[in-house]
Structure formats: structure tokens, C-alpha cells
Amino acid sequence: MFDFFKKKKKEEKIVSIASPVKGKVVKLEEVPDPVFAEKMVGDGFAVEPENGEVFAPVSGEVTLQPEGYHAIGIKTQEGLEVLVHFGLETVELKGEGFTPHVKVGDIVKKGDKVLSVDIEKIKDKVPSIITPCIVANLEENILSEINFDANCGKEVQTVTIAE
């Protein structure tokens, strides 16, 4: 009776983001590019990759894949938009050294291979191969924690969405 007087309990959804590449996880502020380091695109982490195998950090729909294949965007069921950008200024390579394994509209599961990069072919042509992994739409109702000791396929960032 009189349910309208009861406060609605906030529901929380937790989304875990895995490292998309094998390598050392570093703070986004350590990326030698102000667009990423100053979090203009969003917040997250970066990885200094050991190889060029890139895996989906979350499950969801592929919503972004530029012509040069240097980045991939995935939107989760919870609405998070996660961007993986392999290297810095890699857009200039126009796809050289990049082999996509998915396309826009595909549904991927966390851990699916989404991209292969020939690091030997590109490493001398770009300033860095550091790979930012960013949540592009973090809002005030979202809390985020990052584990810098994680590695490929392991949970690095946990995002809690309070609704």
C-alpha cells in the first residue's frame, strides 16, 4: 500500500573491460598524445603491446571501424561505448599492416579476435604503438576502477553504472 512513498532502489550494472592486447597496462596520462592523455576522447587505460593480436575488451556490437582499421568501437548491451585505438597516428597508414576480423554491425564476445596488426611493418612509421582502450561515454552516474596489473584477456577496468 502507498508504494509511491517508497524510494526506488538504484539498480547497478557492472561492466568489466579486459585488456585488448597482451602487454603492460599503463595510465592513460602516460600516452604520448594529448588527445588520449588529456582524456578528450574519454577515460580508460592504455597497453604497451607485445604483439599485434587485438581482442574484443567487451561483448557487444561493433559500431566503429575506420577505413584504415586502426581502431574499433564496440557498444555494450549496457550502453557503454568502448574504443580500442592501436598505436598513435596510425590513421596515416591507411590500413597498411592492419587486418580486420570483424566489421561494423557484427556482434562480438569479450575475447574474440577483432584485429591483427603487423607490428614490424608499422612500428617505424608511427610515433608509438601504445594502444589506448577508452570508454567514450562515461557520465556522472558511472564509477570506474582500473587494475594496472592485468594482462591480455584479464579484467582491467570495471565500470559501475548506477541507474
Side-chain angles (χ1 to χ4, degrees), residues 15-87:
V15 179
S16 295
I17 302 172
S19 180
V21 293
K22 183 176 182 182
K24 181 183 176 197
V25 177
V26 296
K27 293 179 180 179
L28 207 52
E29 294 86 353
E30 295 179 30
V31 175
D33 182 317
V35 171
F36 295 111
E38 294 174 16
K39 302 179 182 180
M40 293 178 200
V41 178
D43 201 358
F45 58 94
V47 185
E48 295 171 356
E50 293 178 11
N51 62 46
E53 300 302 309
V54 182
F55 302 91
V58 292
S59 296
E61 179 181 356
V62 177
T63 56
L64 172 76
Q65 187 179 54
E67 273 185 37
Y69 308 118
H70 62 283
I72 185 166
I74 301 170
K75 186 171 186 176
T76 69
Q77 182 179 7
E78 296 81 11
L80 291 184
E81 296 169 3
V82 180
L83 171 73
V84 177
H85 192 287
F86 198 97

Side-chain angles (χ1 to χ4, degrees), residues 141-161:
N141 65 331
I142 297 175
L143 301 173
S144 178
E145 293 181 24
I146 298 176
N147 171 11
F148 292 100
D149 295 324
N151 207 326
C152 188
K154 303 294 183 199
E155 308 307 327
V156 176
Q157 186 173 12
T158 304
V159 179
T160 303
I161 306 166

